[in-house]
């Protein structure tokens, strides 16, 4: 929805050709291997993002480096990672909602819960604390429809639009990462 509203290209953070490897890595238990895989996918996506931005086309992604680094560190990865300066710096929206609403939304998804999803639920406070080191615009989505959340986001920041929009809904992409854990105030993302 945001990509369509911004007339932007929707770039999956795990490119299509990574998907077979993603499934295999996600079956394993090595958090450092998983972190390296997702970092590789993100750097590959960042190259595509840069190409779009150089040609004047805005980009929307559902997840970026902050999520990868914070979630894997909270899960126990101890790799030291310093990001180079070249990846584009995003405007990040940190969507949160009340715990009861978050549980209701997750149940309504009908998405199978992976081992990694379950582990993330055990470290939500650590992830929330780690997110504090990244610049993000926090948006409380409690009680809001997706359309209302979109209106809040577009009113929050009016980045440019472009006629080369990929208007396919984000949920239509199989490349989506699991949901972002809760924030420090005790609310959680949808």
């Amino acid at each position: 929805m945001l990509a369509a509203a911004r007339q932007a290209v929707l770039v999956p953070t795990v490119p299509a050709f990574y998907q077979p490897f993603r499934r295999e890595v996600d079956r394993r238990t090595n958090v450092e291997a998983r972190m390296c895989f997702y970092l590789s996918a993100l750097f590959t996506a960042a190259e595509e993002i840069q190409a779009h931005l150089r040609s004047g086309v805005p980009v929307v992604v559902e997840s970026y480096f902050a999520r990868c680094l914070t979630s894997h560190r909270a899960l126990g990865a101890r790799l030291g990672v310093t990001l180079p300066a070249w990846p584009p710096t995003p405007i990040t929206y940190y969507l949160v909602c009340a715990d009861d609403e978050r549980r209701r939304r997750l149940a309504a998804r009908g998405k199978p819960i992976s081992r990694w999803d379950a582990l993330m639920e055990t470290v939500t406070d650590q992830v929330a604390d780690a997110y504090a080191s990244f610049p993000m615009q926090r948006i409380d989505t409690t009680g809001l429809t997706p359309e209302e959340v979109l209106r809040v986001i577009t009113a929050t920041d009016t980045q440019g639009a472009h006629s080369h929009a990929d208007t396919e809904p984000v949920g239509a992409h199989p490349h989506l990462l699991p949901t972002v854990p809760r924030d420090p105030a005790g609310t959680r993302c949808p």
Side-chain angles (χ1 to χ4, degrees), residues 9 12 15 27 47 61 67 70 77 129 156 159-160 171 175:
V9 173
R27 285 187 191 112
E47 289 175 346
V61 297
R67 184 172 183 192
T70 58
D129 291 344
T156 301
Q159 284 278 318
H175 319 300

Side-chain angles (χ1 to χ4, degrees), residues 16 29 39 46 50 75 79 86 99 102 104 111 129 133 137 141 146 165 180-181 186:
T29 60
L39 285 171
Q50 263 192 323
L75 290 171
L79 298 175
W86 70 263
D99 283 343
R102 179 175 181 273
R104 182 186 55 74
K111 175 188 170 222
D129 291 344
S133 67
Q137 295 185 26
T141 67
V180 179

Side-chain angles (χ1 to χ4, degrees), residues 49-139:
I49 292 166
Q50 263 192 323
H52 288 299
L53 294 175
R54 275 195 299 271
S55 65
V57 178
V59 175
V60 170
V61 297
E62 83 279 0
S63 181
Y64 207 51
F65 288 99
R67 184 172 183 192
C68 177
L69 296 172
T70 58
S71 61
H72 286 94
R73 286 181 182 149
L75 290 171
R78 296 295 166 238
L79 298 175
V81 176
T82 302
L83 295 176
W86 70 263
T89 303
I91 295 171
T92 303
Y93 302 99
Y94 184 37
L95 307 180
V96 299
C97 66
D99 283 343
D100 59 338
E101 186 161 333
R102 179 175 181 273
R103 284 189 295 273
R104 182 186 55 74
R105 289 177 184 179
L106 288 172
R109 280 186 181 173
K111 175 188 170 222
I113 296 175
S114 74
R115 173 187 176 281
W116 294 103
D117 293 334
L119 283 172
M120 284 303 297
E121 289 300 312
T122 68
V123 293
T124 56
D125 291 335
Q126 294 93 317
V127 173
D129 291 344
Y131 271 138
S133 67
F134 292 93
M136 297 182 181
Q137 295 185 26
R138 184 179 184 272
I139 298 174

Side-chain angles (χ1 to χ4, degrees), residues 17-36:
F17 63 90
Y18 272 70
Q19 290 304 314
F21 301 113
R22 177 186 183 180
R23 286 186 291 277
E24 191 57 37
V25 168
D26 280 349
R27 285 187 191 112
R28 313 251 177 202
T29 60
N30 186 316
V31 69
E32 281 87 6
R34 187 174 189 270
M35 181 178 181
C36 288

